[in-house]
């Protein structure tokens, strides 16, 4: 007895095969395709259409230019009453195909058929009353909608009539076939949607209008929306399939061609003569071509089994665990072919070594594999051409092969191949150094030197990064800012491929300057505009200054471009006044506790701590203390500065009885402003109580050598074993003077040293001005 039978079936044959009744077993997962899966399907279709040529025979198109959509495993069996259909009338259900593997693709393509039916319904309305377009309209109604589409997702139920149709697919336990709609049960998302479409199409004869339908299931809605989006993309496609990929005869068939030729029509001439109709007809023809390719040149390998057990065995065998292929491994045949054409041995070549190294890096740890792949494509795609990263293996494969072909299509030897792979290798190395490693690894330092923050040059060795650059990299990593990495990858790549020590030294300094500038741009943009600078960076990447052959990859050009674009946006939003003055208000408004993120607040407070203010008012910054530059990696990871602390406690916004704070801050929004924030260790933050005296004593302990016992035990203990917290000195001075005034009988709200909302405003403005000046200074172009 034959256990398995397998054959290649093109999509139209697959859905029209004898026993065109699909059942999804109840144990299978729910319909779960996403937007990216639909995008990949249409990418394959459009790529396939563009590959077709008019001179290709049908055999060439099917054997050489078709698209394999995967394997379908099905169990062929007899229909079962009360399981597959309502038993009152069983003469229309006999043999069915239970899908063991492939239900996601089968379900999605059925939805594609439904959405194409609606697409062509709309297209007919877009056609005018010219004889050419009337002929096209008749063909769409008679052939495309009725034969190509409706007959594939709707099954006619004897006795035949316009209303006796049912979905071609159901899910066990949820759905039940029956010719009478009142007894039919179509509750699964896909079957329900198809049945609603059948009812709407059947009802059109009475209303004259095809009512659109909507799914009750969010995932199905996502897929339907994705399909609609892909059809719209085909509408706007510049490529024209007619007379490039398809002739009229192949696309429409002999009957249409006879009518077409008898009428003396020529669509190409018609389109050229009528520019206003050209766009409409091109869109329709391109979608007809795409649908034709899906039906006739996209194929499944369909493996059928007479028993469920053998079908499941086959499924398990084909899906056994193992190391998954990467998109780069799938690119190797293309690369080896290019080497073979150039008569160069690929095995043992440096390019082969690098590809193997990247793949080994992906697969060296199964726990980090997906993270590495995700990070790699996030950086590499943005660096290469400013595109978003593909999120599945198939999309990654398509993107890599497409960009590789684009990059190497004019090479006479393997130089472009080497460039492409070398760029990949640079991205991999950068990620392994600064992205994938744990924070503990990256924060590792010996005698103040952070060993992991180095650039590696194959010929000239290790280059230790500066403290300012390291701090910027630490900050950007902790703030989870992604897009700057592509820019830094490009500068690292420039450094790595230098051939002289002088060039390597210069490229190293360029990397450092851009890293610092990235931290400034990110902070200014994130606070000033209260949004992530993703679109800002993407615009810059789309201009290709990251990967350029015309000398644009220089820190002076890049930083100057960042600065120029940033200033333009500031002027556009805030007017033509000075950058500092116009930006301070937005900075104060947006720089609040946890509003952007405490990582950003911490970075701003650290920038502020080392600045001097020529101001006599206590509490802003100590006038007599300039302070050291604390934008150092040791300060960034210092546990004494790892927590953002409210000076006036948050409770004061609701509790008017809280010591001296409440009367000033009750119902105030100033509690969370940057002017009311400072930095402490996590343990100190949680230990200090919220009264004014306790705050004062705790802060004083942390700024005084040899801590006293006037504060909480935890704070005293911490103060005795940690460095003095100089950034707290102006706060201590103001709170001390305020408490002294209160002891002298002055009303707390009348003291000139009171910590109230007006002072927080002043301090917020002061901090903002200092930080903006400092960050803008880092955008000054240095040659």
């Amino acid at each position: 007895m034959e256990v398995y039978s397998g054959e290649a079936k093109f999509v139209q044959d697959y859905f029209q095969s004898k026993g065109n009744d699909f059942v999804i077993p109840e144990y299978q997962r729910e319909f779960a395709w996403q937007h990216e899966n639909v995008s990949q399907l249409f990418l394959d279709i459009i790529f396939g259409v563009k590959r077709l040529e008019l001179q290709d025979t049908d055999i060439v198109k099917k054997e050489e230019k078709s698209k394999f959509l995967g394997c379908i495993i099905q169990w062929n069996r007899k229909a079962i009453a009360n399981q597959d259909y309502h038993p009152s009338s069983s003469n229309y259900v006999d043999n069915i195909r239970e899908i063991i593997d492939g239900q996601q693709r089968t379900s999605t393509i059925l939805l594609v058929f439904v959405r194409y039916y609606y697409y062509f319904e709309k297209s007919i309305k877009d056609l005018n009353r010219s004889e050419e377009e009337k002929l096209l309209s008749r063909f769409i109604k008679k052939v495309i909608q009725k034969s190509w589409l409706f007959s594939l997702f709707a099954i006619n139920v004897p006795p035949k009539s316009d209303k006796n149709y049912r979905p071609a697919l159901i899910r066990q336990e949820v759905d039940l076939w029956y010719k009478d709609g009142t007894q039919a049960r179509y509750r699964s998302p896909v079957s329900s949607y198809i049945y609603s479409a059948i009812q709407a199409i059947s009802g059109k004869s009475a209303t004259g209008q095809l009512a659109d339908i909507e799914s009750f299931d969010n995932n199905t809605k996502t897929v339907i929306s994705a399909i609609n989006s892909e059809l719209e993309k085909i509408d706007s496609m510049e490529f024209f399939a007619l007379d490039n990929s398809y002739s009229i005869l192949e696309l429409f068939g002999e009957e249409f061609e006879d009518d077409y030729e008898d009428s003396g029509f020529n669509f190409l001439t018609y389109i050229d003569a009528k520019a206003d109709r050209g766009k409409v007809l091109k869109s329709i023809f391109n979608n007809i071509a795409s649908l034709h390719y899906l039906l006739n040149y996209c194929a499944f390998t369909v493996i059928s089994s007479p028993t469920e057990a053998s079908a499941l065995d086959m499924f398990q065998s084909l899906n056994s665990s193992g190391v998954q292929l990467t998109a780069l491994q799938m690119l190797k045949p293309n690369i080896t072919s290019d080497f073979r054409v150039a008569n160069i041995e690929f095995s043992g070549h440096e390019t082969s070594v690098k590809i193997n190294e990247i793949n080994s890096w992906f697969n060296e740890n199964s726990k980090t594999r997906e993270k590495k792949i995700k990070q790699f494509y996030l950086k590499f795609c943005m660096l290469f051409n400013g595109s978003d990263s593909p999120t599945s293996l198939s999309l990654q494969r398509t993107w890599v092969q497409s960009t590789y072909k684009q990059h190497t299509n004019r090479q006479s030897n393997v130089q472009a191949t080497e460039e492409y792979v070398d760029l990949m290798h640079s991205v991999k190395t950068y990620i392994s150094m600064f992205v994938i490693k744990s924070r503990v690894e990256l924060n590792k330092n010996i005698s103040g030197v952070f060993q992991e923050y180095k650039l590696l040059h194959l010929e000239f060795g290790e280059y230790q990064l500066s403290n300012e650059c390291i701090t910027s990299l630490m900050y950007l990593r902790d703030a989870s800012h992604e897009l700057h990495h592509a820019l830094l990858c490009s500068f690292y790549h420039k450094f790595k491929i230098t051939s002289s020590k002088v060039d390597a030294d210069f490229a190293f300094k360029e990397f450092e300057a851009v890293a610092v500038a990235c931290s400034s741009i990110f902070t200014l943009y994130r606070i000033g505009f209260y949004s992530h600078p993703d679109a800002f960076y993407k615009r810059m990447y789309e201009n290709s200054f990251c990967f350029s052959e015309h000398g644009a990859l220089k820190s002076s050009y890049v930083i100057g471009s960042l600065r120029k674009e940033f200033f333009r946006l500031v002027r556009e939003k805030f007017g033509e006044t000075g950058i500092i003055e116009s930006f301070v208000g937005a900075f104060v408004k947006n720089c609040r506790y946890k509003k952007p993120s405490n990582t950003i607040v911490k970075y701003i407070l650290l920038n502020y701590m080392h600045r001097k203010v020529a101001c006599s008012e206590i509490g802003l910054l100590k006038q007599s203390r300039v302070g050291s530059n604390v934008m150092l990696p040791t300060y960034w990871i210092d546990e004494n500065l790892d927590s953002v602390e409210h000076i006036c406690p948050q409770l004061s916004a609701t509790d008017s009885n809280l010591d001296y704070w409440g009367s000033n801050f009750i119902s105030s929004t100033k509690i969370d402003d940057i002017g009311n924030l400072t930095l402490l260790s996590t343990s100190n933050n949680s230990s200090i109580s919220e009264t004014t005296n306790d705050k004062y004593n705790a802060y004083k302990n942390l700024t005084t050598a040899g801590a006293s016992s006037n504060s909480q035990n935890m704070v005293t203990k911490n103060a005795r074993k940690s460095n003095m917290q100089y950034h707290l000195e102006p706060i201590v001075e103001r709170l001390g003077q305020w408490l002294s005034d209160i002891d002298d009988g002055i009303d707390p709200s009348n003291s000139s040293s009171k910590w109230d909302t007006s002072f927080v405003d002043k301090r917020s403005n002061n901090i903002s001005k200092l930080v903006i000046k400092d960050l803008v200074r880092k955008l000054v172009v240095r040659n």
Side-chain angles (χ1 to χ4, degrees):
M1 183 182 80
E2 185 177 82
V3 179
Y4 302 110
S5 64
E7 60 180 324
K9 283 187 177 292
F10 291 99
V11 166
Q12 189 168 40
D13 295 330
Y14 171 68
F15 285 94
Q16 285 183 336
S17 296
K18 184 180 179 181
N20 188 22
D21 296 306
F22 297 100
V23 169
I24 301 172
E26 70 275 14
Y27 57 77
Q28 293 235 17
R29 64 174 179 152
E30 296 296 327
F31 182 56
W33 260 33
Q34 297 294 320
H35 197 292
E36 65 194 43
N37 304 110
V38 176
S39 295
Q40 180 61 55
L41 173 64
F42 277 89
L43 277 173
D44 291 334
I45 293 171
I46 299 306
F47 181 74
V49 171
K50 291 181 177 180
R51 289 183 66 206
L52 300 181
E53 298 178 15
L54 290 177
Q55 65 269 26
D56 292 338
T57 65
D58 191 57
I59 292 176
V60 168
K61 290 178 178 179
K62 288 189 172 180
E63 292 184 357
E64 299 180 15
K65 297 189 176 181
S66 59
K67 174 61 184 176
F68 175 59
L69 296 182
C71 183
I72 301 289
I73 301 176
Q74 61 186 29
W75 168 33
N76 297 337
R77 62 172 176 81
K78 293 287 185 181
I80 302 172
N82 281 325
Q83 178 174 304
D84 304 317
Y85 62 88
H86 194 281
S88 298
S89 178
S90 62
N91 62 337
Y92 65 95
V93 180
D94 188 6
N95 296 313
I96 68 170
R97 292 182 280 172
E98 187 167 317
I99 304 175
I100 305 302
D101 185 36
Q103 64 114 342
Q104 302 287 340
R105 284 160 288 166
T106 301
S107 299
T108 300
I109 292 177
L110 285 169
L111 293 177
V112 169
F113 293 159
V114 173
R115 293 319 304 168
Y116 252 132
Y117 191 103
Y118 275 84
Y119 169 85
F120 286 114
E121 185 73 10
K122 176 181 176 295
S123 297
I124 291 171
K125 295 179 181 179
D126 290 337
L127 296 173
N128 64 27
R129 302 302 299 166
S130 68
E131 292 302 315
E132 291 89 341
E133 297 191 30
K134 284 165 64 177
L135 178 64
L136 179 59
S137 178
R138 288 194 297 272
F139 178 83
I140 290 173
K141 291 178 183 178
K142 180 180 178 180
V143 178
I144 295 179
Q145 286 186 302
K146 188 174 182 179
S147 177
W148 290 13
L149 296 170
F150 187 78
S151 66
L152 300 185
F153 64 79
I155 306 300
N156 191 267
V157 180
K160 293 184 176 181
S161 78
D162 289 342
K163 294 185 178 179
N164 283 337
Y165 287 93
R166 56 175 174 75
L169 173 145
I170 63 168
R171 177 179 287 272
Q172 277 183 357
E173 299 299 317
V174 179
D175 304 321
L176 203 64
W177 278 313
Y178 189 61
K179 68 176 182 179
D180 184 350
T182 60
Q183 296 190 53
R185 191 173 73 218
Y186 306 119
R187 298 171 185 167
S188 67
V190 175
S191 300
S192 174
Y193 188 82
I194 295 173
Y195 188 66
S196 296
I198 292 171
Q199 289 180 305
I201 293 167
S202 299
K204 181 192 171 187
S205 58
T207 63
Q209 295 290 327
L210 176 59
D212 208 343
I213 55 175
E214 185 172 324
S215 174
F216 62 84
D217 174 68
N218 286 333
N219 194 85
T220 307
K221 287 180 182 178
T222 297
V223 170
I224 292 166
S225 174
I227 295 169
N228 292 339
S229 176
E230 295 300 326
L231 301 188
E232 290 174 2
K233 289 180 184 177
I234 296 173
D235 274 348
S236 60
M237 188 169 63
E238 290 293 328
F239 177 82
F240 188 28
L242 190 60
D243 255 19
N244 280 303
S245 302
Y246 282 94
S247 65
I248 286 290
L249 172 62
E250 183 179 18
L251 196 56
F252 295 97
E254 292 180 354
E255 182 179 349
F256 180 90
E257 187 184 51
D258 290 341
D259 294 339
Y260 179 72
E261 290 180 347
D262 290 343
S263 65
F265 294 156
N266 187 309
F267 274 122
L268 294 176
T269 303
Y270 179 77
I271 289 171
D272 288 339
K274 297 180 180 295
D276 61 323
R277 305 306 302 155
K279 185 177 187 305
V280 174
L281 292 182
K282 284 182 178 180
S283 298
I284 294 173
F285 280 126
N286 281 338
N287 267 292
I288 293 174
S290 300
L291 176 58
H292 187 279
Y293 185 87
L294 171 63
L295 291 171
N296 296 280
Y297 301 125
C298 290
F300 297 111
T301 295
V302 181
I303 300 175
S304 302
S305 170
T307 68
E308 184 180 34
S310 57
L312 288 171
D313 286 343
M314 174 64 71
F315 172 75
Q316 185 177 8
S317 174
L318 292 178
N319 288 273
S320 59
S321 60
V323 177
Q324 189 178 9
L325 287 172
T326 67
L328 187 54
Q329 285 171 295
M330 296 176 185
L331 182 66
K332 285 182 73 173
N334 303 68
I335 296 175
T336 55
S337 174
D338 287 344
F339 270 74
R340 189 164 52 250
V341 169
N343 199 27
I344 300 174
E345 178 66 34
F346 180 68
S347 178
H349 191 275
E350 184 179 357
T351 300
S352 176
V353 173
K354 287 178 180 177
I355 289 176
N356 292 333
E357 184 181 325
I358 296 171
N359 277 311
S360 297
W361 176 70
F362 281 143
N363 294 316
E364 65 188 3
N365 186 336
S366 60
K367 293 182 179 179
T368 61
R369 184 179 186 279
E370 291 305 315
K371 181 180 180 181
K372 288 177 179 177
I373 291 175
K374 178 182 178 181
Q375 288 294 333
F376 178 84
Y377 284 102
L378 277 172
K379 280 60 174 177
F380 182 63
C381 295
M382 190 61 61
L383 183 158
F384 190 82
N385 61 5
S387 63
D388 291 327
S389 62
T391 54
S392 68
L393 176 60
S394 56
L395 288 173
Q396 289 161 7
R397 179 198 63 202
T398 299
W399 188 93
V400 167
Q401 291 182 339
S402 173
T403 54
Y404 174 77
K405 182 178 179 180
Q406 174 189 345
H407 187 69
T408 60
N409 62 353
R410 294 183 181 176
Q411 70 177 359
S412 57
N413 50 35
V414 295
Q415 181 180 354
T417 297
E418 291 175 306
E419 289 173 353
Y420 189 88
V421 174
D422 203 30
L423 187 62
M424 279 187 158
H425 190 265
S426 293
V427 173
K428 167 259 172 188
T429 307
Y430 175 90
I431 292 171
S432 67
M433 288 192 302
F434 301 126
V435 179
I436 296 297
K437 287 181 180 177
S438 69
R439 187 178 180 187
V440 173
E441 288 179 299
L442 286 173
N443 291 349
K444 176 184 176 182
N445 73 91
I446 300 173
S447 300
V449 177
F450 288 79
Q451 300 294 320
E452 300 299 324
Y453 285 90
K454 296 176 181 177
L455 299 193
L456 310 174
H457 196 287
L458 186 62
E459 184 177 354
F460 307 121
E462 297 179 341
Y463 282 66
Q464 178 68 48
L465 294 168
S466 68
N467 284 330
E468 187 176 28
C469 178
I470 294 172
T471 306
S472 294
L473 291 171
M474 286 180 170
Y475 161 57
L476 290 169
R477 172 191 167 92
D478 290 349
S480 299
H481 179 41
E482 292 288 349
L483 290 186
H484 79 281
H485 285 300
L487 183 56
L488 292 178
C489 279
S490 64
F491 275 88
Y492 171 66
H493 179 67
K494 179 183 177 181
F495 161 81
K496 200 187 73 165
I497 63 175
T498 53
S499 57
S500 72
K501 183 68 165 59
V502 172
D503 288 343
D505 292 347
F506 179 76
F508 172 71
K509 293 298 182 185
E510 295 255 286
F511 177 91
E512 290 193 317
V514 173
V516 173
C518 284
S519 67
S520 295
I521 280 289
F522 171 69
T523 309
L524 289 167
Y525 200 100
R526 186 71 183 87
I527 301 296
F529 297 112
Y530 196 58
S531 64
H532 287 278
D534 291 8
F536 174 83
Y537 270 107
K538 285 181 180 179
R539 283 197 300 274
M540 306 300 287
Y541 292 143
E542 287 168 1
N543 292 332
S544 300
F545 74 79
C546 268
F547 191 64
S548 172
E549 296 178 357
H550 50 74
L553 191 62
K554 295 181 179 179
S555 64
S556 58
Y557 173 81
V558 171
I559 296 173
S561 297
L562 292 172
R563 177 188 174 98
K564 181 179 179 181
E565 176 65 6
F566 174 70
F567 282 9
R568 184 190 69 78
L569 292 173
V570 171
R571 286 192 296 270
E572 183 180 284
K573 184 175 180 65
F574 300 105
E576 293 295 331
T577 56
I579 175 72
I580 303 301
E581 292 75 10
S582 62
F583 209 54
V584 168
F587 213 82
V588 171
K589 177 183 176 182
N590 297 327
C591 190
R592 295 167 58 78
Y593 180 71
K594 285 187 176 179
K595 186 174 180 181
S597 80
N598 277 359
T599 301
I600 301 175
V601 172
K602 174 182 174 180
Y603 182 74
I604 289 170
L605 288 172
L606 280 177
N607 264 285
Y608 161 75
M609 281 164 48
H610 74 285
R611 306 293 293 176
K612 179 179 179 180
V613 183
C615 180
S616 60
E617 183 163 3
I618 62 172
L620 296 178
L621 278 180
K622 280 186 69 65
Q623 187 175 352
S624 60
R625 181 175 179 79
V626 176
S628 61
N629 186 339
V630 295
M631 289 308 294
L632 303 172
T634 50
Y635 281 92
W636 184 258
I637 64 173
D638 187 349
E639 63 179 14
N640 293 303
L641 303 170
D642 64 1
S643 176
V644 177
E645 152 82 339
H646 288 80
I647 299 168
C648 170
Q650 288 175 293
L651 191 59
S652 294
T654 56
D655 188 353
S656 60
N657 297 316
L658 186 62
D659 201 44
Y660 309 121
W661 307 108
S663 59
N664 293 305
F665 284 91
I666 188 70
S667 302
S668 172
T669 61
K670 305 296 181 182
I671 289 289
D672 290 332
D673 279 9
I674 189 70
N676 191 50
L677 303 175
T678 190
L679 298 173
L680 293 177
S681 69
T682 301
S683 58
N684 285 340
N685 195 346
S686 60
S687 300
I688 300 173
S689 66
E690 297 183 332
T691 68
T692 312
N693 273 294
D694 284 340
K695 290 267 189 177
Y696 167 71
N697 286 326
Y699 293 171
K700 186 177 181 181
N701 246 350
L702 295 170
T703 58
T704 306
S708 68
S709 58
N710 293 330
S711 185
Q712 292 86 352
N713 290 334
M714 177 62 72
V715 177
T716 301
K717 179 181 178 181
N718 289 341
R720 286 174 176 166
K721 67 177 184 179
S722 63
N723 297 326
M724 287 190 292
Q725 306 298 291
Y726 293 114
H727 64 286
L728 297 173
E729 285 183 343
I731 303 170
V732 170
E733 188 174 358
R734 187 172 185 93
L735 294 182
Q737 185 58 55
W738 190 23
L739 289 171
S740 178
D741 289 347
I742 294 171
D743 288 342
D744 291 340
I746 299 174
D747 185 278
S749 61
N750 291 331
S751 170
S752 60
S753 300
K754 60 183 178 293
W755 194 281
D756 63 358
T757 55
S758 62
F759 177 72
V760 168
D761 262 340
K762 185 178 294 185
R763 191 168 184 264
S764 295
N765 275 274
N766 181 261
I767 292 173
S768 297
K769 288 178 181 178
L770 291 171
V771 172
I772 293 171
K773 285 181 180 177
D774 189 52
L775 297 181
V776 169
R777 175 187 62 80
K778 294 175 182 179
L779 297 178
V780 174
V781 177
R782 298 178 177 87
N783 293 319

